[in-house]
Amino acid sequence: HQITFHLGAYDRTRELIVDPTLLFVGTLATGNQSTLPQGMAVTAAGEMIFTGRTYDLAFPVTPGAYQTDCGTAAAANTRCGVSSFSSAFVTKISADGTHLIYSSYLHGGQGEENGIAVALDSAGVVYLTGTTTSSDFPVTSDAYQSLCSPIGTNFDPVTGVFQTQSSQCYAVTSYGPQFGGPSTYVVKLNATGDQILYGTFLGGSGNTSPVGVTVDAAGNFYVATWTSSAQNNPQSNEVAFRSEERRV
């Protein structure tokens, strides 16, 4: 519950007065259900882009955004609300804080999503990463990994690895492989927030969760994650993923 200031060079022999000007204060979501922002990026024009997770069925979305509902159209896909699954979200707010440029849910239909980190390039394309337990999370045809969990639960004692046999999300726990993920996702969203240009899973037999994403001047993006996917000997490891720019 503290705010700190990063100071540049100043004359340390003189009194320093920190007197910031409050430009605006606002809220995002209705507050009826939990919403947690976890990643933020700022454009050169001062526009703010947030990602995180929400259980709010009335989370503010904009017309024409990629996903404008929290999966409540069919009972099988119901999410958000009390005692339900969360959806990730991505929201871009004007530099003066007066309006949403775009705002969208981001989820599959079978599990739970969590937005963790966001980056953007000079063209305004947004790079998102987070976790999902939805085997039908929206990935593109050129995905690096099209299956949520490419290594299934059947252990082969001869080879000493788990067989590749399922597209379901799994988590490796102390009780053995269990249904439920999560896997990391990486999504490239166009500048207007209404189309996924690229989407992929990034995971294995166990839990995988990203900690950050960045993009370079050439459009290559980099994702750092932690994972327990060590197949027959799960343990915490760090992995890094680099993708060459994909043109669509």
Side-chain angles (χ1 to χ4, degrees), residues 125-218:
V125 174
V126 174
Y127 300 77
L128 301 160
T129 188
T131 59
T132 179
T133 61
S134 296
S135 299
D136 60 349
F137 184 85
V139 297
T140 50
S141 59
D142 60 345
Y144 168 77
Q145 180 179 315
S146 60
L147 303 181
C148 183
S149 180
I151 301 172
T153 59
N154 290 342
F155 180 70
D156 186 339
V158 176
T159 62
V161 299
F162 287 97
Q163 298 279 355
T164 300
Q165 54 87 45
S166 178
S167 64
Q168 298 297 308
C169 291
Y170 287 90
V172 173
T173 71
S174 58
Y175 302 102
Q178 303 290 321
F179 178 77
S183 178
T184 289
Y185 66 79
V186 183
V187 163
K188 185 176 177 180
L189 190 69
N190 70 342
T192 54
D194 58 4
Q195 182 183 2
I196 288 180
L197 303 178
Y198 174 74
T200 187
F201 292 109
L202 183 62
S205 61
N207 297 335
T208 303
S209 181
V211 294
V213 62
T214 190
V215 58
D216 65 22

Side-chain angles (χ1 to χ4, degrees), residues 36-41 49-53 88-91 106 114-118 127-130 185:
L36 177 66
Q38 300 194 105
M40 177 183 178
I49 302 173
F50 295 93
T51 191
R53 74 170 184 262
F89 69 85
V90 54
T91 300
L106 181 61
N114 184 16
I116 293 179
V118 58
Y127 300 77
L128 301 160
T129 188
Y185 66 79

Side-chain angles (χ1 to χ4, degrees), residues 2-246:
Q2 295 180 337
I3 295 176
T4 61
F5 295 90
H6 180 73
L7 302 176
Y10 68 96
D11 186 350
R12 295 178 179 270
T13 65
R14 306 189 63 176
E15 180 183 14
L16 174 67
I17 299 175
V18 178
D19 187 19
T21 300
L22 182 63
L23 299 180
F24 66 85
V25 174
T27 60
L28 185 64
T30 66
N32 292 330
Q33 298 296 327
S34 173
T35 296
L36 177 66
Q38 300 194 105
M40 177 183 178
V42 181
T43 71
E47 300 158 333
M48 297 155 284
I49 302 173
F50 295 93
T51 191
R53 74 170 184 262
T54 184
Y55 295 86
D56 195 340
L57 287 166
F59 185 84
V61 294
T62 52
Y66 176 72
Q67 282 180 328
T68 57
D69 66 77
C70 208
T72 57
N77 291 337
T78 298
R79 57 174 58 239
C80 295
V82 180
S83 300
S84 188
F85 291 141
S86 66
S87 171
F89 69 85
V90 54
T91 300
K92 186 175 184 180
I93 304 176
S94 62
D96 60 4
T98 60
H99 65 278
L100 302 179
I101 298 174
Y102 64 75
S103 186
S104 176
Y105 291 108
L106 181 61
H107 59 77
Q110 299 176 346
E112 183 167 22
E113 277 72 40
N114 184 16
I116 293 179
V118 58
L120 69 156
D121 64 20
S122 58
V125 174
V126 174
Y127 300 77
L128 301 160
T129 188
T131 59
T132 179
T133 61
S134 296
S135 299
D136 60 349
F137 184 85
V139 297
T140 50
S141 59
D142 60 345
Y144 168 77
Q145 180 179 315
S146 60
L147 303 181
C148 183
S149 180
I151 301 172
T153 59
N154 290 342
F155 180 70
D156 186 339
V158 176
T159 62
V161 299
F162 287 97
Q163 298 279 355
T164 300
Q165 54 87 45
S166 178
S167 64
Q168 298 297 308
C169 291
Y170 287 90
V172 173
T173 71
S174 58
Y175 302 102
Q178 303 290 321
F179 178 77
S183 178
T184 289
Y185 66 79
V186 183
V187 163
K188 185 176 177 180
L189 190 69
N190 70 342
T192 54
D194 58 4
Q195 182 183 2
I196 288 180
L197 303 178
Y198 174 74
T200 187
F201 292 109
L202 183 62
S205 61
N207 297 335
T208 303
S209 181
V211 294
V213 62
T214 190
V215 58
D216 65 22
N220 304 312
F221 63 85
Y222 305 78
V223 179
T225 80
W226 68 261
T227 181
S228 63
S229 296
Q231 296 174 350
N232 64 319
N233 184 27
Q235 58 185 351
S236 179
N237 296 292
E238 293 182 353
V239 299
F241 174 69
R242 175 180 184 270
S243 172
E244 298 296 331
E245 180 183 19
R246 297 174 182 269

